[in-house]
Amino acid sequence: MRALAIALVLAALVGCSPPAGSGGEASAQAAPDSAETQSQFVAQCVSALTAQNAEASRWAPGQCEEDWGKVVASGDMAEAILAAARGTMPAPGRMGADLEVEVDSAVPSVTFAWSDVGALIPYDVVSALRLRGAAPEMIGCAQVGTGEFSKAYRLAPEGVPPFLLSIYERTAPTANASSFYNVRAELSGAVPTLAQLGGDGNNWASACPY
């Protein structure tokens, strides 16, 4: 329920943003780290949550501030994905303090990987892309464990062919287990259908259960 409300908030914010052009233009247009955008995000997020559950007013502001932090933290990753879609691959190695970047020019593809022991996932690249005028469209979601999901999105920034954005995320079930957040943009232009995703043996659905 909370995830659905956040999605509605993001859709409303995207409606206020112009579409992305080049990677640099997308950054300037969205200004996702501006105080105005933050206040809009948090206010609309709180409004959406409390509209569904009046008791949410007690925890919604804190939850929405936390969600905004994930969007901001994903900014460089989102910018790099949009730039890669236009032919400018990021440098492999480290991005920021805790993201590993791998580039495969043969596919071509770029992968961003994060992991930490017992930590909550600090990123939400899908929302960061939406705030930059891109509109990731979920193709399918497979729950592969408790708090563990594989997600596939069709991403079609303005002016470039659609491509596949895959996300694997796992929230540590215990304090001594690892959390993972891996994002892969496959830029060959091959975008699978929901039926084709099921070929890996997992139970794919059009939406995540939560």
Side-chain angles (χ1 to χ4, degrees):
M1 185 73 72
R2 186 178 304 178
L4 175 60
I6 297 298
L8 294 174
V9 170
L10 290 166
L13 283 174
V14 170
C16 299
S17 302
S22 68
E25 289 171 349
S27 177
Q29 289 170 346
D33 58 348
S34 70
E36 181 180 2
T37 304
Q38 178 180 2
S39 63
Q40 290 176 344
F41 178 92
V42 172
Q44 293 184 43
C45 172
V46 170
S47 177
L49 291 177
T50 54
Q52 297 208 11
N53 180 2
E55 294 184 1
S57 60
R58 296 178 297 177
W59 50 260
Q63 178 65 49
C64 293
E65 290 284 355
E66 182 180 328
D67 291 338
W68 172 253
K70 295 179 182 181
V71 175
V72 173
S74 303
D76 288 346
M77 188 177 3
E79 294 288 351
I81 290 170
L82 293 174
R86 292 170 173 82
T88 304
M89 286 291 193
R94 302 284 292 185
M95 174 179 285
D98 55 7
L99 275 175
E100 290 287 344
V101 182
E102 296 181 6
V103 175
D104 184 345
S105 57
V107 175
S109 68
V110 57
T111 301
F112 305 86
W114 168 89
S115 65
D116 199 357
V117 176
L120 295 176
I121 295 171
Y123 296 107
D124 181 0
V125 74
V126 171
S127 298
L129 286 164
R130 285 192 177 120
L131 288 177
R132 284 163 172 77
E137 177 186 348
M138 177 169 276
I139 304 169
C141 177
Q143 184 173 1
V144 294
T146 302
E148 186 177 7
F149 298 90
S150 291
K151 303 175 181 179
Y153 295 85
R154 179 183 182 273
L155 191 60
E158 185 179 11
V160 299
F163 60 91
L164 174 64
L165 186 73
S166 301
I167 298 177
Y168 167 75
E169 60 183 57
R170 175 183 186 253
T171 301
T174 61
N176 61 351
S178 291
S179 294
F180 298 96
Y181 189 75
N182 297 338
V183 178
R184 178 179 172 88
E186 299 185 23
L187 305 168
S188 66
V191 181
T193 64
L194 177 59
Q196 289 170 332
L197 289 172
D200 67 359
N202 288 315
N203 186 20
W204 287 85
S206 58
C208 294
Y210 60 88

